[in-house]
Amino acid sequence: PMDLVLFQDAISHICRISRVMRQPAGSALLVGVGGSGRQSLTKLATSIAEYELFQVQVSSVYAMLDWKEDLKKLFLMAGVEGKEVVFLFNDTQIKFE
């Protein structure tokens, strides 16, 4: 176990993220400056809800085929296996516009 100290604003954001996640087909776009805790709070909310976290691992050789394979894995987890999944995608992971 890890002892955490959270600010009231962080707790409020975790509650909002959790509420959106628990809605049927819930999705959210979190916007803020770098280092504001969007990923950390999303990961914490995902853990609290006991959902699966799915993130794309982009590298220098990541291509469109890799993107399609990653999406296929995500859709299989959510659709076929029926798992509750959070897809966490960062703007720095966009390679093709």
Side-chain angles (χ1 to χ4, degrees), residues 34-85:
S36 61
R38 294 181 309 269
Q39 284 191 58
S40 299
L41 295 180
T42 301
K43 288 178 181 180
L44 182 56
T46 301
S47 177
I48 290 170
E50 297 180 346
Y51 285 10
E52 297 280 332
L53 179 67
F54 186 87
Q55 278 189 284
V56 174
Q57 300 299 321
V58 177
S59 66
S60 59
V61 293
Y62 193 83
M64 188 62 71
L65 184 60
D66 299 313
W67 169 250
K68 290 178 182 180
E69 287 299 316
D70 281 338
L71 286 181
K72 191 185 303 182
K73 288 178 195 173
L74 174 65
F75 296 152
L76 285 172
M77 285 175 67
V80 176
E81 297 172 16
K83 293 182 179 177
E84 301 285 353
V85 182

Side-chain angles (χ1 to χ4, degrees), residues 11-22:
I11 295 170
S12 297
H13 289 309
I14 291 170
C15 291
R16 286 186 194 102
I17 294 167
S18 296
R19 186 179 67 238
V20 169
M21 283 176 15
R22 291 178 188 265

